[in-house]
Amino acid sequence: MKPASFEYLRPGTVDEAIAALDHEDAKIIAGGQSLVPMMNFRLVQPERLVDINGIADLGQVTAVDGGVRIGALVRHAQAARDTMLGTAFPIIGEAMRHVAHVAIRNRGTIGGSLSHADPSAEWPLLVSLLDGAIEITGKSGVRTCGTEEFFFSPLMTDLEEDELLTGVVLPSLPDGAGMAFDEVSQRAGDFAVVACGAVVAMDGPCIGSARLALGGLGDTPLRATEVEVALTGATLDDIAGIVADCAVDLEPNDDMHASAGYRRSLAPVLARRVLIRAAERAKGKT
Amino acid sequence: MTAIDITLTVNGETMTTRAEPRMLASDFLREKLGLTGTHVGCEHGVCGACTIKLNGVTARSCLLFAGQLDGAEVTTVEGLGSPRRMHRIQEAFRKHHALQCGFCTPGFLMTVSEILETEELRTDDDIRDALSGNLCRCTGYEHIVRAVRELVNERDGVTA
């Protein structure tokens, strides 16, 4: 239960961090809330640990053209109480309450959660739902990547070993959009068995447009694109019918936390719940 | 791997101690600084027994490396109070029998010291939710919730 030896570096800038990654077995540590347990169990034994906690630039939430940029080092607790995020994306505060426990929310970061790529974690689902652009910095500069290209499978992403996830840009939503997040877990703070997020804009009594993201049902967070299309023009009474089969073709994990069948049956329940809540919130705004 | 100098402020006192950067902060506090109030339970961030305050907010000290404490300000349970001069939270825990074996208690005390400032804790469910990152195998939590309820009422000026 003690980590193996490593060389410990604390770069002060992104450039220094990228330079420090020029090594055959280097690993970045941000909040460390997933990495350190893996190091304590010696499932991961990097020769070099690059601690980015000293790079103050990465810890900011900033307004950018067309949206909000969240630096990779923004902690879950910080995101939950950030006023700019609270105004533009209240779903973030709603979701952060489900991220583990107080002490872990104080330390864990958005960049770490995305890089760790747990398919039932909250940030991967939120960034997928909100069409976020993941900003990746490497030796040759900055590139951006959508969640569809970024997430491969649990722990596997498009990040190269010498690249650093530096932030996420969330594009602004239309003024009248309502959003909602919910999940089922065995105990408060446990990993979600299934998680759902929705964004809904109303067009009179009908749904003008809707987005639905599902977590815990596959190797990556999933967007229910067929459901999204079917919801356009539907009424709130139609929602239950439209989402009823949203998980029948999915093959979620069958493990000690929940059976695949239970996960499949939870999905439409949570989907209906978040879509209706998001629609009610959208109505409240208009 | 060689040891490095780690300069930090612990419970208001600034000190420099040598340790390997990979040493867990929980071991560093206990073995290098002799602050054995911080308990080591699961060593992978699940049980909450090793909870400390790092730069003013709670953190699991088993998920931090000693090297990361360089330049940090740390508060451990020893910084809360002492047997002769107990902190109000410690008094409430004693009054309500909110501990039995005491192993988890330092972690609970550190968490409570934070949530009293950051959370509304209107209902007992809210208290249980806020304490869900700390595990206790003795009390069944009932008396811990009672102690925290009294502290919340005191904070809010509510007479129970």
Side-chain angles (χ1 to χ4, degrees):
Chain A
M1 294 300 295
K2 310 293 179 193
S5 288
F6 51 79
E7 179 195 7
Y8 179 62
L9 300 178
R10 287 171 110 178
T13 65
V14 170
D15 286 346
E16 285 172 28
I18 303 295
L21 291 174
D22 190 10
H23 181 280
E24 61 188 15
D25 188 19
K27 192 97 188 134
I28 297 157
I29 185 168
Q33 303 300 287
S34 301
L35 178 62
V36 181
M38 290 162 79
M39 289 177 67
N40 288 358
F41 282 121
R42 301 206 176 188
L43 297 169
V44 181
Q45 301 187 25
E47 283 178 21
R48 173 183 284 188
L49 198 64
V50 180
D51 185 343
I52 61 168
N53 282 285
I55 309 178
D57 291 351
L58 294 179
Q60 313 286 329
V61 177
T62 44
V64 292
D65 196 21
V68 179
R69 181 180 181 279
I70 309 175
L73 209 54
V74 169
R75 321 270 168 184
H76 310 313
Q78 181 189 351
R81 59 168 190 267
D82 185 87
T83 48
M84 198 187 303
L85 289 176
T87 308
F89 305 104
I91 191 173
I92 291 176
E94 191 176 25
M96 288 303 106
R97 296 209 58 91
H98 294 276
V99 179
H101 311 287
V102 177
I104 288 168
R105 291 198 289 269
N106 284 338
R107 190 79 192 149
T109 66
I110 177 173
S113 176
L114 294 171
S115 309
H116 189 60
D118 188 304
S120 62
E122 290 77 7
W123 276 120
L125 183 145
L126 289 172
V127 176
S128 167
L129 176 74
L130 300 172
D131 287 332
I134 296 171
E135 178 194 295
I136 296 165
T137 307
K139 265 184 284 191
S140 49
V142 180
R143 66 186 177 98
T144 56
C145 186
T147 52
E148 300 255 314
E149 308 92 67
F150 183 77
F151 294 115
F152 295 165
S153 61
L155 313 187
M156 299 296 287
T157 69
D158 192 45
L159 268 177
E160 296 293 335
E161 294 195 342
D162 57 355
E163 289 181 320
L164 175 66
L165 193 162
T166 38
V168 176
V169 174
L170 300 179
S172 304
L173 291 168
D175 278 346
M179 52 200 104
F181 177 93
D182 207 349
E183 70 176 49
V184 168
S185 59
Q186 290 195 329
R187 287 163 293 271
D190 278 12
F191 272 104
V193 172
V194 172
C196 277
V199 177
V200 174
M202 298 302 288
D203 180 8
C206 297
I207 293 173
S209 66
R211 294 188 212 165
L212 177 66
L214 308 169
L217 289 159
D219 280 349
T220 65
L222 304 167
R223 279 287 287 275
T225 43
E226 286 177 27
V227 169
E228 293 179 3
V229 172
L231 285 167
T232 307
T235 66
L236 301 201
D237 291 337
D238 299 331
I239 289 176
I242 292 171
V243 300
D245 291 334
C246 70
V248 288
D249 296 330
L250 301 177
E251 292 180 6
N253 276 350
D254 207 28
D255 58 30
M256 65 185 223
H257 303 294
S259 68
Y262 181 54
R263 287 191 161 94
R264 271 193 294 266
S265 60
L266 269 181
V269 176
L270 280 174
R272 177 174 48 83
R273 204 180 285 172
V274 292
L275 283 164
I276 287 178
R277 202 188 302 152
E280 297 290 351
R281 287 173 181 171
K283 279 186 182 174
K285 285 185 173 182
T286 49
Chain B
M1 189 65 209
T2 50
I4 57 167
D5 277 337
I6 296 163
T7 300
L8 74 168
T9 305
V10 182
N11 302 328
E13 195 185 330
T14 301
M15 55 189 79
T16 301
T17 307
R18 285 185 77 74
E20 275 191 71
R22 67 155 172 162
M23 189 176 206
L24 294 178
S26 42
D27 290 335
F28 176 80
L29 293 168
R30 290 176 58 83
E31 293 169 20
K32 295 285 178 182
L33 304 185
L35 295 168
T36 53
T38 299
H39 289 174
V40 175
C42 71
E43 284 194 322
H44 64 289
V46 174
C47 76
C50 70
T51 304
I52 59 166
K53 280 194 173 175
L54 175 72
N55 300 324
V57 295
T58 57
R60 309 280 210 227
S61 60
C62 75
L63 299 186
L64 287 167
F65 296 118
Q68 296 185 287
L69 296 182
D70 188 43
E73 191 182 316
V74 169
T75 308
T76 66
V77 71
E78 286 91 344
L80 217 54
S82 66
R84 285 171 187 278
R85 302 182 68 162
M86 279 197 280
H87 188 278
R88 181 67 194 95
I89 300 171
Q90 292 166 317
E91 277 178 7
F93 267 58
R94 181 170 70 172
K95 176 180 163 189
H96 289 278
H97 302 280
L99 62 146
Q100 287 180 31
C101 85
F103 194 86
C104 68
T105 311
F108 270 96
L109 295 172
M110 297 313 286
T111 301
V112 171
S113 75
E114 174 164 277
I115 61 173
L116 281 175
E117 291 176 5
T118 57
E119 305 282 324
E120 285 190 51
L121 307 173
R122 281 202 204 130
T123 66
D124 286 359
D125 278 352
D126 292 343
I127 293 174
R128 286 176 186 276
D129 198 30
L131 292 175
S132 61
N134 290 76
L135 301 184
C136 172
R137 306 301 298 267
C138 303
T139 63
Y141 303 99
E142 192 57 38
H143 292 223
I144 298 175
V145 174
R146 279 184 212 168
V148 177
R149 171 52 52 207
E150 177 173 289
L151 292 162
V152 172
N153 287 345
E154 210 171 82
R155 177 196 72 182
D156 298 344
V158 176
T159 42

